[in-house]
Amino acid sequence: MSEQTLQEAPPVKRMSGPVIRLHPDDNVVVARVDVAIGTAVPEEGFTARSQVPAGYKIAARRIRQGEPILKYSVTVGFASTDIEPGTMVHSHNTEFREFDRDYAHASAYQPVRLLPESERATFRGYVRPDGRVGTRNFIGILSTVNCSATVVHKIAEWFTPERLAEYPNVDGVVAFSHSIGCGMEMTGEPMQLLRRTMAGYARHPNLAAALVIGLGCERNQLAGLMEQEGLSPGPNLHTFIMQESGGTRKTIDAGVEAVKALLPEANKARRQTVPASHLCVGLQCGGSDGFSSITANPALGAAVDILARHGGTGILSETPEIYGVEHTLTRRAASVAVGEKLIERIRWWKTEYSVGRDVQINGKVSPGNQVGGLANIFEKSLGSSMKGGTGPLMAVYKYAEPVTAKGFVFMDTPGFDPVSATGQIAGGANLIAFTTGRGSMFGSKPAPCVKLATNTPMYRRLTEDMDINCGEILDGTATVQEMGQRIFELFLRIASGERSRSEELGLGDHEFVPWQIGIMS
């Protein structure tokens, strides 16, 4: 593994001892457990000079002021002072500054070696009329504007588990409301983005049918949404305008009756055996820590590599959280054009969207990330990018654009998880995989979310919320590749109807959060 590419990692061995060396060229190691002052680390030739929490970095040799700090042989910052061997390395002695990166577009591209069709995995999904496959079977109700948010929620709330009992093949009736739709630009990318996000949900394969409800006088006019996105009312898509339907109560009543009429047909849906190539997984991370790049993220990446060989798709996103290591992705791009499209999105963030703002793409990560052992965005990005695996980057999409390519792709989104996952689901993700080190309580609808813990203590503390404990890699009971296979097999089970932990907790009713990029007035 090198600055050239992140796909040349040697086979990961089972871990033991107080520290973890990630690459022979690294000048830091990572504390596998809490390391006390005076702890001898003979395999590295130093004695700890600091009390170092698990997941934090320790200087393995003398690092001179201004010298790059190397983790996985990738620059994650620069020493702000001379750092002696055995000293903790973190934000107090690490400087964040820009450095030149050679994008070398497509120079390391290698095509995916697809498995023969006879050897590809399958799952039990819902085949829709257009050939796409759902992993769940919901009826969705969308608001065009915040002014119809209460109405869509009241309609969904009417359909309690008791009222849905006679429709066992319907997973639920879910509302997708948001806080915009008016007081915003009427034309241009902000409105286009909102509309393509809504349309991505309205036509999502995990929905058997949808209602779209507007107020009537908003800027996001229902007619404009339908025209821009090529949507037409029909048996599985109904529309209502509150100002024409008699107001709040009458629109709720009409919406309830419309859903009642849709339920019998939705309940006719039956799961069928389909190839794993129909799986499209949105890749998320939140509450990252110093173990994210060692356990859960590379294990998820291993699962994505497996999925790609079976013909499926993994969507990496969170553009601020690949910044600093984007050159490791452009080198794997399927073409120069794909690599350049990724850099164009990075430049937009850096030169237009976040100039002068105290956001993570400009260096500083969240307090939780800091406490978890991550010094800056370069170090966080190193781990975040690993979720995409080691295969070629096949395509780059803008937020909520329909994802059609197979294999590893990228979608431009913010790092904020609900916003990022909303874009992925709108793009067609029928499953979300979410890694976390500090502990995230995220869940999503209509695409189920599985959560992957980076360490055993957190997994045990938050077992109700976690689906897989990737901390076993640290504990020495599993390798990254073994964990990747487990994750892939979990994908197949969840896609076939097994409920994830977040589904059991009822999460996902408030996580539809389209990206607000425009001016509000």
Side-chain angles (χ1 to χ4, degrees):
M1 197 179 297
S2 67
E3 285 275 12
Q4 302 303 309
T5 174
L6 280 175
Q7 77 232 50
E8 300 167 359
V12 178
K13 299 179 180 179
R14 297 187 189 274
M15 297 180 184
S16 61
V19 302
I20 304 166
R21 172 164 286 281
L22 300 172
H23 192 280
D25 296 338
D26 287 355
N27 50 18
V28 296
V29 293
V30 177
R32 190 179 70 87
V33 294
D34 291 344
V35 176
I37 297 173
T39 299
V41 186
E43 63 269 30
E44 293 292 341
F46 67 76
T47 298
R49 296 168 178 259
S50 309
Q51 183 82 18
V52 184
Y56 281 60
K57 301 174 295 300
I58 307 173
R61 62 169 175 80
R62 192 166 193 255
I63 307 174
R64 297 189 179 277
Q65 183 177 3
E67 187 179 347
I69 295 169
L70 300 178
K71 184 176 180 181
Y72 278 112
S73 194
V74 173
T75 299
V76 296
F78 299 85
S80 59
T81 186
D82 289 345
I83 305 174
E84 298 300 325
T87 303
M88 185 172 79
V89 179
H90 197 44
S91 51
H92 65 289
N93 53 12
T94 300
E95 178 187 359
F96 172 85
R97 70 167 186 260
E98 301 293 350
F99 64 98
D100 291 333
R101 301 184 279 282
D102 181 5
Y103 297 131
H105 296 298
S107 62
Y109 168 73
Q110 294 179 1
V112 172
R113 295 179 181 177
L114 289 168
L115 291 169
E117 288 194 16
S118 61
E119 298 178 18
R120 296 186 192 178
T122 61
F123 70 96
R124 301 276 293 169
Y126 296 100
V127 181
R128 301 305 183 185
D130 62 2
R132 294 184 305 156
V133 175
T135 62
R136 294 294 183 268
N137 192 40
F138 282 98
I139 292 176
I141 311 171
L142 295 94
S143 63
T144 63
V145 64
N146 181 253
C147 304
S148 55
T150 295
V151 166
V152 300
H153 280 286
K154 291 293 185 182
I155 295 169
E157 288 166 6
W158 193 90
F159 293 92
T160 61
E162 293 76 19
R163 285 171 169 156
L164 289 175
E166 61 183 293
Y167 306 103
N169 296 320
V170 177
D171 289 300
V173 178
V174 58
F176 301 111
S177 65
H178 54 88
S179 61
I180 49 178
C182 204
M184 60 184 293
E185 301 163 71
M186 290 188 68
T187 59
E189 178 62 7
M191 184 63 78
Q192 291 171 11
L193 182 153
L194 174 60
R195 287 174 172 172
R196 71 173 177 260
T197 303
M198 292 185 60
Y201 272 66
R203 59 168 67 101
H204 197 280
N206 285 10
L207 293 187
L211 276 59
V212 184
I213 300 178
L215 174 64
C217 57
E218 66 270 30
R219 292 197 159 206
N220 182 26
Q221 284 285 297
L222 183 57
L225 163 68
M226 304 291 278
E227 180 181 4
Q228 176 186 303
E229 294 301 322
L231 297 172
S232 300
N236 296 322
L237 181 61
H238 294 213
T239 61
F240 296 87
I241 296 175
M242 293 169 62
Q243 292 170 347
E244 298 175 6
S245 298
T248 300
R249 183 180 58 79
K250 289 184 179 180
T251 306
I252 293 170
D253 292 344
V256 167
E257 292 304 312
V259 174
K260 284 181 181 179
L262 290 167
L263 280 169
E265 188 66 26
N267 193 56
K268 291 179 183 178
R270 296 293 186 274
R271 290 187 180 272
Q272 304 174 39
T273 299
V274 295
S277 57
H278 287 289
L279 269 184
C280 183
V281 184
L283 313 173
Q284 289 290 318
C285 60
S288 300
D289 68 357
F291 292 130
S292 293
S293 66
I294 300 173
T295 62
N297 287 8
L300 177 53
V304 171
D305 287 344
I306 297 169
L307 177 62
R309 290 197 292 275
H310 287 264
T313 305
I315 310 172
L316 183 66
S317 297
E318 302 172 299
T319 308
E321 297 178 13
I322 63 159
Y323 183 65
V325 299
E326 69 276 10
H327 55 299
T328 68
L329 302 180
T330 58
R331 292 168 185 272
R332 292 153 48 192
S335 67
V336 172
V338 170
E340 287 180 340
K341 190 171 182 181
L342 179 63
I343 299 309
E344 184 274 327
R345 300 317 303 159
I346 292 276
R347 288 184 180 133
W348 177 82
W349 274 84
K350 290 293 289 184
T351 63
E352 295 185 44
Y353 189 58
S354 63
V355 178
R357 303 292 183 179
D358 185 16
V359 292
Q360 65 179 349
I361 199 170
N362 292 329
K364 196 170 183 179
V365 293
S366 71
N369 294 154
Q370 284 270 337
V371 173
L374 300 175
N376 55 45
I377 192 55
F378 290 160
E379 187 174 11
K380 183 175 183 179
S381 293
L382 173 63
S384 180
S385 67
M386 291 180 176
K387 301 194 303 293
T390 62
L393 175 64
M394 300 306 297
V396 174
Y397 296 93
K398 295 178 74 175
Y399 186 90
E401 286 184 333
V403 172
T404 56
K406 295 294 186 177
F408 165 49
V409 304
F410 186 85
M411 177 181 284
D412 178 29
T413 77
F416 184 39
D417 309 314
V419 178
S420 182
T422 295
Q424 292 174 332
I425 295 170
N430 51 16
L431 191 66
I432 298 293
F434 195 118
T435 68
T436 182
R438 305 289 293 168
S440 171
M441 312 306 157
F442 181 80
S444 54
K445 291 179 181 177
C449 175
V450 299
K451 292 199 285 296
L452 315 173
T454 73
N455 63 89
T456 297
M458 184 275 285
Y459 175 80
R460 289 175 176 165
R461 188 170 64 251
L462 302 175
T463 301
E464 273 195 343
D465 286 272
M466 299 296 126
D467 292 277
I468 282 188
N469 177 23
C470 296
E472 289 188 31
I473 297 168
L474 287 178
D475 301 338
T477 59
T479 67
V480 167
Q481 290 301 322
E482 289 167 348
M483 192 60 66
Q485 182 64 34
R486 286 193 214 172
I487 294 169
F488 174 68
E489 291 170 1
L490 178 64
F491 287 170
L492 299 177
R493 297 199 308 273
I494 296 293
S496 298
E498 181 178 313
R499 287 161 62 87
S500 70
R501 294 299 177 90
S502 67
E503 289 183 291
E504 290 174 352
L505 291 166
L507 298 172
D509 288 318
H510 305 283
E511 285 78 5
F512 176 71
V513 190
W515 190 5
Q516 300 183 28
I517 64 171
I519 295 171
M520 303 298 287
S521 64

